[in-house]
């Protein structure tokens, strides 16, 4: 499918992240408006909350856009998701007779502040990228034992903390935590010294389920995708994670991109999961291409300095799709709800510059990176800004998510001084 | 403090779980009313939703009891919690001049159906009972390596699944899951064969926080306590839990008692945590008695047969208090919200009949229990009803939680047949 032209002219360039083919969903405010629902088109945001009030969008007897998050639309299910997309295309496509009604509802993106696009019900993070699992496993257990025995049979995941999910642009305060230095016998309570990123995609559950669901049903239930940075305190994690997994190491913050890219927009970019050493059990088997060809990158910018691209990879490097993760998540009968967020797990490619975490890029701190500024980094330093970007490249157009960025602030001098 | 008498005469017997000293909070419905907020007093439920409408309770400009959960009160904070308790005591104490107004707002408990007493925001489960950790560790790693190195320094916990928390009385469907039988090389997708209980207490966060909080502040923020059964699929857990902890093994269901017992009701039963081999770091140190002396028991009843008490223990066996768990949970800056539920971890005492799980009681299935009916059990069989009870024993009165019970139904014959 080629670029579909919009009367919003900035949407029609081949490398713009928000052409008419995309139409991602966000929540924005301006100096004069409270947070409300909007759709990115070119350099503008279409105020769909106002459009619904004006009767330009009417999908339900009840308003769907009167709250500052997209969950009410998500709850409506795939038929209404498709109806909204059709309506938005009709309104915004070149030649639309609604142009004069809509021009007053377009807000320049550079005048808007972005907010969380949806209310996160619960957050689950997976560990389903093979190169990442192989790298981390090799560092901790040696190459022979890198992958745990279950890894090739189920998408390993753990429940994260929904309350810690924040929108791109939110500053991230370096956490304190209990950790044990290698040269000490006993742990201490200290600011994290090995603070890291994890380059991930997040899948958002739209349609709830209440019992085991198939991979196809899981794919049907997914509403859309965001970029996701699972900030990780490696030294806190090393001390706490046995035997019940990561806990406070992952609870400081998880940043997501401001725009939810819908499954419909990503449809042309579907691709297969990789070949498998062991066939998956029937309930997890692929039933079609359920990964997406999305180029991903990470940049790091020391305070006041230019950014260096430190990693480039692609979402198709995942071993398990989000649909397989959601299907596995439901096997026990676990109820899954609208607004549940599933992190893919860190996405790394096979070569060193494709690694999606500093832990891997600096090989546990043993091989520090050199930035374009000449500085070196093993882990994040105070003032560093880390930014994830993603784009699916179509025939003369791109599908983007907006940056997923965050600046790391110094740890509090005394976290209990209040 | 002795029993405080109520004009509701059934509340005045020494072993009744719901004297005026207790006043626990629940949500109930009857044949003629939708779910609403109520307070247990003797054999009755005081309809506080109706009492607020009638103007008998007026704590806020906005109604606090017009929704079928207690979160709005919890959000009001300790001063309003205390004001409600004072008002309830004034209304329900012997000699109250409001008796004639309230008699019409009392519903017999045996005519009511109980519902979830609060909306669970997020659910965290800990592993903070020493005898349980020692027992489980001994089974899996030998007595020498039973406790992980971090165990005596932090309350180990993992995030559970809030969507799976159900109220007592809800039937529990035996889950399917991926597991690997010891005699097989590869895993299979099968109904769980080692389905188990975990006897726990749950602490409910009332006041939110957004940064590290002290143990004292954490104690102040806790609203109340429930009994909690963390249903566990041991065979699914054994296959999935390395390296990121339990996931689907714990996601089928977690049952809680229908009544939230407030911190105020439990105040006379405060007791200290045990002596420690290693002093805790300052931010986790005890700052007063923050455990409670609550007798706990578990019964098992095969389908259609009498129940056998299979375990008796006490909440004071915990190594870490809920306040210490909540303080640890906040160290990373993790935002904690009204309605967050913290499971204590399985509570076992030092001797065999004090063990709070079948895994420990049957020592991994090697030493099956014999019930009073003559049947034996290693793990739960279909049709079994498991019930937790708890009571703090005061001077001529008891503080109860109501039963926390559930019956295990057979696994679906084909979980994907729909």
């Amino acid at each position: 499918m080629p670029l579909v032209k919009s009367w919003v002219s900035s949407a029609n360039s081949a490398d713009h992240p928000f052409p008419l083919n995309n139409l991602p969903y966000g929540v924005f405010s301006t100096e004069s408006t409270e947070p409300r629902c909007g759709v990115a088109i070119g350099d503008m945001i279409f105020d769909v909350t106002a459009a619904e009030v004006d009767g330009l969008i009417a999908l339900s007897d009840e308003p769907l856009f009167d709250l500052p998050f997209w969950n009410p639309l998500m709850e409506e299910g795939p038929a209404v998701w498709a109806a909204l997309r059709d309506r938005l295309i009709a309104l915004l496509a070149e030649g639309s007779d609604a142009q004069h009604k809509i021009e007053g509802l377009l807000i320049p993106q550079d005048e808007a502040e972005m907010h969380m696009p949806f209310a996160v019900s619960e957050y689950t993070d997976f560990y389903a990228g093979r190169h990442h699992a192989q790298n981390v496993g090799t560092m901790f257990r040696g190459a022979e034992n890198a992958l745990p025995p279950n890894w090739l049979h189920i998408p390993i995941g753990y429940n994260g903390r929904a309350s810690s999910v924040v929108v791109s642009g939110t500053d991230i305060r370096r956490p304190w935590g209990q950790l044990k230095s290698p040269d000490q016998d006993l742990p201490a309570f200290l600011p994290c010294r090995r603070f890291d990123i994890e380059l991930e995609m997040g899948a958002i559950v739209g349609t709830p389920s209440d019992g085991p669901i198939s991979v196809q049903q899981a794919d049907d239930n997914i509403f859309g995708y965001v970029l996701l940075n699972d900030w990780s305190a490696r030294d806190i994690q090393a001390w706490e994670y046995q035997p019940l997994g990561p806990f406070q190491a992952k609870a400081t913050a998880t940043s997501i991109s401001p725009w939810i890219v819908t499954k419909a927009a990503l449809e042309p970019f579907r691709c297969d999961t990789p070949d498998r050493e062991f066939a998956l059990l029937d309930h997890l088997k692929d039933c079609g291409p359920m990964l997406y060809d999305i180029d991903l990158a990470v940049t790091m910018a020391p305070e006041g300095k230019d950014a260096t691209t430190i990693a480039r990879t692609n979402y198709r490097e995942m071993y398990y799709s989000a649909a397989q993760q959601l299907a596995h998540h439901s096997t026990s009968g676990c109820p899954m709800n609208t607004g549940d967020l599933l992190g893919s797990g860190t996405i790394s490619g096979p070569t060193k510059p494709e690694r999606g975490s500093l832990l891997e890029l600096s090989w546990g701190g043993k091989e520090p990176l050199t930035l374009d500024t000449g500085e070196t980094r093993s882990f994040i330093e105070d003032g560093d800004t880390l930014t994830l970007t993603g784009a699916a490249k179509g025939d003369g157009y791109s599908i983007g998510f907006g940056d997923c960025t965050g600046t790391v602030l110094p740890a509090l001098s005394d976290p209990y001084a209040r």
Side-chain angles (χ1 to χ4, degrees), chain A:
Chain A
M1 191 170 73
L3 175 75
V4 185
K5 285 200 172 175
S6 170
W7 55 261
V8 181
S9 57
S10 58
N12 296 334
S13 83
D15 56 356
H16 199 292
F18 305 127
L20 192 67
N21 304 55
N22 192 347
L23 299 175
Y25 302 150
V27 169
F28 73 101
S29 63
T30 66
E31 283 193 4
S32 58
T33 61
E34 292 293 299
R36 48 179 51 207
C37 294
V39 175
I41 179 73
D43 295 339
M44 310 297 281
I45 301 172
F46 175 34
D47 182 342
V48 296
T49 296
E52 188 178 51
V53 171
D54 291 353
L56 288 166
I57 296 173
L59 301 171
S60 168
D61 295 339
E62 298 293 314
L64 294 179
F65 307 113
D66 62 338
L67 296 173
F69 38 83
W70 284 78
N71 301 56
L73 176 74
M74 289 153 63
E75 285 168 7
E76 292 290 312
V80 177
W81 306 347
L84 174 62
R85 186 169 174 86
D86 288 347
R87 181 67 183 150
L88 290 170
I89 291 172
L91 293 172
L92 295 168
E94 207 171 55
S96 164
D97 57 10
Q99 180 174 346
H100 67 286
K101 293 184 192 161
I102 289 176
E103 280 170 335
L105 303 179
L106 294 181
I107 291 91
Q109 279 171 32
D110 57 14
E111 293 176 15
E113 180 183 355
M114 300 305 295
H115 303 270
M116 278 291 294
F118 69 107
V120 182
S121 297
E122 298 192 60
Y123 165 48
T124 307
D125 193 32
F126 286 87
Y127 182 63
R130 180 156 185 180
H131 302 295
H132 171 72
Q134 183 75 34
N135 286 336
V136 173
T138 300
M139 270 182 263
F140 291 128
R141 291 180 293 273
E144 295 299 300
N145 301 306
L147 286 188
N150 51 20
W151 202 94
L152 294 168
H153 302 282
I154 41 174
I156 296 292
Y158 66 98
N159 299 296
R161 184 75 194 175
S163 67
S164 70
V165 181
V166 297
V167 72
S168 172
T170 307
D171 289 337
I172 308 300
R173 177 71 66 183
R174 180 184 297 274
W176 285 69
Q178 192 175 121
L179 49 92
K180 197 177 80 63
S181 303
D183 57 341
Q184 298 289 321
D185 289 336
L186 290 173
F189 189 64
L190 293 169
C192 170
R193 297 159 177 176
R194 292 163 72 98
F195 201 50
D196 198 359
I197 55 155
E198 293 197 337
L199 166 61
E200 305 192 21
M201 297 286 299
I204 302 163
V205 175
T207 305
S209 57
D210 193 13
I213 56 173
S214 67
V215 173
Q216 181 61 59
Q217 185 66 54
D219 190 64
D220 291 346
N221 288 2
I222 292 172
F223 178 71
Y225 291 83
V226 289
L227 303 177
L228 186 149
N229 180 358
D230 181 37
W231 303 92
S232 298
R234 301 295 180 197
D235 41 6
I236 298 171
Q237 188 175 353
W239 174 238
E240 77 177 359
Y241 92 106
Q242 286 287 10
L244 299 189
F247 184 52
Q248 288 305 284
K250 302 281 196 166
T252 301
T254 295
S255 299
I256 63 169
S257 58
W259 296 106
I260 303 171
V261 175
T262 62
K263 214 167 41 180
L266 292 171
E267 203 57 35
F269 306 98
R270 282 188 181 265
C271 59
D272 289 319
T273 47
D275 289 340
R276 299 181 186 284
E277 274 167 66
F278 295 100
L280 294 175
L281 293 175
D282 284 346
H283 70 293
L284 292 178
K285 275 206 164 80
D286 293 279
C287 57
M290 292 195 181
L291 279 177
Y292 298 96
D293 179 358
I294 301 171
D295 288 334
L296 301 166
V298 183
T299 68
M300 174 184 261
E303 193 169 359
K305 302 208 174 146
D306 288 342
T308 300
T309 298
I310 59 173
R312 289 184 194 278
T313 182
N314 191 292
Y315 185 42
R316 70 173 169 246
E317 297 290 351
M318 296 304 301
Y319 196 76
Y320 295 97
S321 65
Q324 286 166 321
Q325 294 173 336
L326 177 54
H328 173 60
H329 210 319
S330 75
T331 49
S332 65
C334 180
M336 302 302 297
N337 289 315
T338 302
D340 283 341
L341 174 63
L342 310 188
S344 59
T346 307
I347 306 166
S348 293
T351 71
K352 184 163 180 175
E354 294 173 275
R355 295 174 183 165
S357 69
L358 289 164
L359 178 68
E360 294 165 86
L361 287 163
S362 75
W363 207 252
K366 290 183 186 151
E367 302 169 15
L369 298 180
T370 301
L371 305 181
D372 296 347
T373 58
E375 285 152 292
T376 59
R377 286 289 184 280
S378 291
F379 292 96
I380 299 170
E381 298 195 5
D382 293 343
D384 288 351
T385 296
L386 280 296
T387 304
L388 317 186
T389 57
K393 298 289 172 59
D395 177 10
Y397 72 98
S398 288
I399 298 286
F401 296 77
D403 291 353
C404 178
T405 190
T407 299
V408 174
L409 305 182
L412 296 169
S413 55
D414 175 358
Y416 295 99
R418 298 193 260 287

